[in-house]
Amino acid sequence: MYEGVVQDLIDELGRLPGVGPKSAQRIAFHLLQADPVDVRRLAEVLVEVKDKVKFCSICFNVAEDDQCRICRDPRRDPAVLCVVEEYKDVVAIERTREFRGRYHVLGGAISPIDGIGPEQLHIRELLTRLGDGAVTEVILATDPNLEGEATATYLTRMLGPLGLRVTRLASGLPVGGDLEYADEVTLGRAFVGRQAAT
């Protein structure tokens, strides 16, 4: 335990996701030794990001304007909509440079244990977006875990009557992975999603 503001800083840093007590302490002492100009710049950016960044009014991705850059881009295919759990997933998919459609960020996944049901997610807004008939395919890109699967199943049932093509991202073994280290679910998915060898 440290005194006063040093301990306050460690406590606040420890509240960040993925930052444990030792990491919080390491970051705090790094900041104490850093140039005051660098620390001030970091503090200003933190305040600025809270002031300027909001969520896109269409897809709920992070944005500095009313709409994010992807929703504003006329080159994106409006007929294909990729549904993801979090805005971080948009970044991951964009890095592949394989997807040229639009996104819809749910803001999480269905998790009854955590008190998150469909009402807490942007599902109502998704259905509203699909109402004009511009979208012909919805790609469900939720995480391949229990909550992501529950969310994908729920959405598949909701979207079925709309007559859209509803697809799910393939899942299975990662490139460079070893069979002996794969869990049963991943290995099972790899068998179900197998393709013809070319």
Side-chain angles (χ1 to χ4, degrees), residues 52-192:
K52 288 185 175 179
V53 176
K54 49 191 166 229
F55 295 98
C56 176
S57 62
I58 297 173
C59 73
F60 301 96
N61 190 12
V62 290
E64 286 190 34
D65 296 316
D66 185 51
Q67 295 178 8
C68 71
R69 66 174 177 76
I70 295 172
C71 286
R72 289 191 318 259
D73 188 346
R75 297 169 298 175
R76 302 301 289 232
D77 185 356
V80 183
L81 190 68
C82 183
V83 178
V84 297
E85 291 179 25
E86 303 288 345
Y87 52 86
K88 297 174 287 194
D89 302 328
V90 172
V91 174
I93 294 170
E94 284 296 291
R95 269 192 305 234
T96 69
R97 298 180 183 195
E98 293 292 326
F99 181 67
R100 298 301 305 153
R102 305 251 168 117
Y103 293 93
H104 188 85
V105 181
L106 295 172
I110 295 172
S111 177
I113 291 174
D114 297 319
I116 301 172
E119 309 79 33
Q120 282 76 42
L121 305 176
H122 297 293
I123 293 175
R124 188 178 318 109
E125 294 87 347
L126 172 63
L127 295 173
T128 301
R129 280 184 81 180
L130 299 174
D132 66 3
V135 175
T136 57
E137 179 182 3
V138 175
I139 302 168
L140 301 177
T142 55
D143 290 342
N145 56 25
L146 191 61
E147 293 83 6
E149 291 298 323
T151 306
T153 301
Y154 179 84
L155 289 173
T156 300
R157 288 186 186 140
M158 292 290 293
L159 302 178
L162 300 179
L164 299 165
R165 179 174 185 229
V166 179
T167 58
R168 180 96 168 98
L169 285 186
S171 59
L173 297 172
V175 174
D178 293 323
L179 284 179
E180 67 180 300
Y181 300 117
D183 62 273
E184 297 82 16
V185 174
T186 302
L187 198 50
R189 286 261 172 83
F191 271 97
V192 170

